[in-house]
C-alpha cells in the first residue's frame, strides 16, 4: 500500500473508533484541557445592541468635545491679551506674504533653432502622408 491508502485507512479507523465511544489512543499531547468550554467574544447580535453601542460612543465623543471647548474657552479667558495679539498678527495684511515673481532659467535653445526644428517636423509629417 502506498502512503495515501494508509492514511485513508487510518482516518477511517479513527472515525469508527469515535463512533463506538472508544477513547482515543494515548498520544504525545495532553488533551485533558480540551473538554473545558471555549470562551467566545460576545458581539452585538441585534440592531438594537449595535445602535446602543453607537449611541454610547457618539454621546461620549460629544461630551469630550464639550469638555475641550470649555477648556479652550477658559484658557482664552485667562490669557486674553496674548490671544488678541495673536489674532491681530494673523489678520494683519502686512504679515500675509505675497507671491514673488516666477523666475525661470534662460532658454537653452534660441528661437531660430526652434523654428528649424518645427520646419523639420512639419516636413517629415508631409512626407509620411
Amino acid at each position: 500500500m502506498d502512503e495515501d491508502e494508509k492514511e485513508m485507512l487510518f482516518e477511517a479507523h479513527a472515525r469508527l473508533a469515535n463512533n463506538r465511544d472508544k477513547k482515543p489512543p494515548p498520544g504525545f499531547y495532553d488533551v485533558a484541557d480540551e473538554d473545558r468550554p471555549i470562551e467566545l467574544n460576545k458581539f452585538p447580535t441585534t440592531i438594537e445592541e449595535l445602535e446602543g453601542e453607537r449611541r454610547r460612543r457618539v454621546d461620549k465623543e460629544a461630551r469630550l468635545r464639550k469638555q475641550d471647548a470649555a477648556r479652550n474657552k477658559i484658557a482664552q479667558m485667562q490669557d486674553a491679551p496674548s490671544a488678541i495679539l495673536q489674532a491681530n498678527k494673523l489678520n494683519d495684511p502686512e504679515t500675509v506674504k505675497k507671491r514673488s515673481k516666477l523666475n525661470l532659467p534662460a532658454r537653452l535653445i534660441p528661437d531660430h533653432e526652434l523654428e528649424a526644428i518645427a520646419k523639420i517636423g512639419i516636413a517629415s509629417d508631409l512626407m509620411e502622408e
Side-chain angles (χ1 to χ4, degrees):
M1 277 192 248
D2 63 343
E3 291 295 321
D4 291 337
E5 291 175 345
K6 288 180 184 179
E7 186 176 343
M8 284 193 314
L9 284 175
F10 178 74
E11 288 177 6
H13 178 68
R15 273 190 247 118
L16 287 173
N18 285 339
N19 288 339
R20 295 185 192 148
D21 294 331
K22 291 176 183 179
K23 290 188 174 183
F28 298 111
Y29 303 102
D30 183 24
V31 293
D33 292 339
E34 290 183 3
D35 292 336
R36 64 182 167 89
I38 299 173
E39 297 175 12
L40 298 175
N41 292 336
K42 186 175 185 287
F43 293 103
T45 55
T46 63
I47 294 175
E48 289 81 21
E49 290 176 358
L50 186 64
E51 287 293 324
E53 288 181 9
R54 186 176 298 148
R55 284 189 194 120
R56 284 188 295 256
R57 184 173 53 236
V58 168
D59 292 342
K60 183 179 179 183
E61 289 174 358
R63 189 173 2 97
L64 291 174
R65 275 193 218 105
K66 286 181 183 178
Q67 288 176 352
D68 287 344
R71 286 184 192 137
N72 288 340
K73 190 173 183 180
I74 291 170
Q76 286 177 354
M77 290 174 66
Q78 290 175 349
D79 195 22
S82 66
I84 291 171
L85 288 175
Q86 185 177 8
N88 286 342
K89 284 181 184 177
L90 292 175
N91 293 329
D92 188 17
E94 292 179 5
T95 59
V96 177
K97 292 186 178 181
K98 294 182 180 179
R99 286 189 178 183
S100 61
K101 245 184 172 179
L102 184 62
N103 294 325
L104 296 175
R107 292 193 308 191
L108 300 176
I109 303 174
D111 287 337
H112 66 278
E113 288 183 14
L114 284 176
E115 290 173 5
I117 292 171
K119 287 179 184 176
I120 292 171
I122 292 171
S124 65
D125 288 342
L126 291 173
M127 292 181 139
E128 288 177 2
E129 293 176 356

